[in-house]
Amino acid sequence: MNLFDLSGKVAVVTGASSGIGADAAIAYAEAGADVAILARRMEKLEVVKRKVEELGRKALAVPCDVSSEESIKHAVEVVLSEYPKIDILLNCAGIAVRGGVEDVTIEDWDKSFDINVRGYFLMSKYILPVMVKNNYGKIVNISSVNAIIADKYDKLIRIPYNSSKAAVVGLTTGMAAAYAKYNITVNAVGPGFFITEMTTEMAKSFVFKKMYNAIVPAGRAGEQGEVNGTILYLSSDASKYVQGQFICVDGGVSIV
Ligand code: NDP
């Protein structure tokens, strides 16, 4: 029995146009799932779609701005017009707004929460009824190690990011407790530092890299695809009795 097998499953992935979400969509297809990939940049989604199709799985690319309820509602309707069900939701779309309490604007604060928290809430709100009806569902929320650890260096301070990613952990435990009775698991993942579009600027900094590598027990940043194992675990029957957990995939940076 392969506990990680996703054959016959349908996975919806937000933030699937690049980075961790794009990698996860491909990993889902490798594990046997058909996917619906959501983001704003359709040209990038088309690239991921082709990769999924090359693996022999179905991919549906749907434009979606997770800061808009209408856009989310419409995207879920499109997914359900193509697929008979949704088994897995990976909430991954996110932004990292930098700044401290004194310099972050209300607009940046609201934008961070609209995308990083309200977007996860609304995706779940529109997909949960389908999962409840089927008495089956796996929701994986990408939070961040920055939900529980913060940076003290001026250039790295990201108060809206820390706050919104911590809120994702609360959303996860709340939903997990409420929906466990419907055979739905809800868990969160806290990636450490991975080089993606979001972190390109930081990754360019020699000082940051040197400092980070000195702090993290693994001595390096995460490599592309290294979050996939935990995402697949939490999206498959391998984690059937794992509920409301927050698992960091961070080379140990959260424990030092
Ligand atoms: P990327 O910048 O590569 O990916 C971000 C994704 O979010 C893109 O697909 C983007 O798609 C999507 N997105 C952003 N805003 C919106 C929006 N309004 N509507 C819909 N989609 C949106 O970064 P990562 O892959 O690194 O980030 C993915 C997740 O992982 C985020 O939640 C991030 O916080 C988290 N994370 C990343 C870490 C890292 O070190 N890289 C560490 C910890 C957590 P598009 O622009 O096409 O809409």
Side-chain angles (χ1 to χ4, degrees):
M1 185 170 58
N2 182 356
L3 287 170
F4 294 87
D5 184 18
L6 297 182
S7 302
K9 304 287 191 221
V10 175
V12 173
V13 182
T14 74
S17 58
S18 61
I20 292 168
D23 287 342
I26 294 159
Y28 280 144
E30 280 169 346
D34 290 330
V35 297
I37 45 178
L38 279 56
R40 292 165 305 175
R41 293 170 299 171
M42 282 304 279
E43 69 288 357
K44 290 230 164 205
L45 286 182
E46 288 302 329
V47 176
V48 179
K49 178 176 153 75
R50 275 197 296 280
K51 287 185 184 164
V52 168
E53 287 169 348
E54 278 163 21
L55 291 163
R57 305 303 340 152
K58 197 173 160 187
L60 178 68
V62 187
C64 179
D65 180 344
V66 296
S67 66
S68 152
E69 180 174 13
E70 267 316 298
S71 182
I72 287 177
K73 202 173 157 196
H74 179 67
V76 173
E77 280 165 8
V78 172
V79 174
L80 289 171
S81 69
E82 289 291 322
Y83 293 118
K85 58 176 183 165
I86 296 170
D87 303 291
I88 300 162
L89 166 62
L90 177 67
N91 278 313
C92 188
I95 55 165
V97 174
R98 288 212 201 145
V101 172
E102 290 158 273
D103 41 71
V104 160
T105 62
I106 292 278
E107 289 72 28
D108 280 345
W109 174 271
D110 287 347
K111 197 174 165 199
S112 299
F113 273 76
D114 284 354
I115 294 172
N116 295 357
V117 189
R118 201 181 71 158
Y120 285 24
F121 158 70
L122 287 172
M123 283 302 304
S124 308
K125 183 180 175 71
Y126 286 103
I127 288 179
L128 269 167
V130 183
M131 292 179 167
V132 168
K133 193 169 139 232
N134 292 337
N135 199 43
Y136 185 89
K138 310 287 292 182
I139 298 181
V140 181
N141 293 326
I142 302 297
S143 172
S144 167
V145 72
N146 288 128
I148 54 168
I149 61 165
D151 297 294
K152 64 180 177 180
Y153 300 101
D154 285 349
K155 279 188 181 165
L156 297 179
I157 289 173
R158 294 179 297 177
I159 302 292
Y161 191 66
N162 299 131
S163 313
S164 59
K165 289 298 178 179
V168 168
V169 177
L171 176 69
T172 301
T173 50
M175 279 169 44
Y179 288 92
K181 61 176 178 260
Y182 300 110
N183 195 30
I184 295 167
T185 66
V186 188
N187 291 287
V189 179
F193 182 67
F194 285 78
I195 300 171
T196 63
E197 285 181 23
M198 182 180 276
T199 56
T200 311
E201 278 311 306
M202 277 160 96
K204 277 187 200 154
S205 158
F206 175 75
V207 177
F208 171 75
K209 264 194 291 196
K210 205 173 157 202
M211 185 187 72
Y212 186 80
N213 291 348
I215 295 169
V216 63
R220 62 170 177 83
E223 283 171 8
Q224 190 181 1
E226 283 184 330
V227 194
N228 287 347
T230 305
I231 292 174
L232 285 179
Y233 165 62
L234 294 175
S235 304
S236 66
D237 287 339
S239 59
K240 223 172 175 178
Y241 200 55
V242 179
Q243 196 58 275
Q245 297 303 303
F246 174 47
I247 302 179
C248 287
V249 183
D250 65 353
V253 76
S254 55
I255 49 108
V256 288

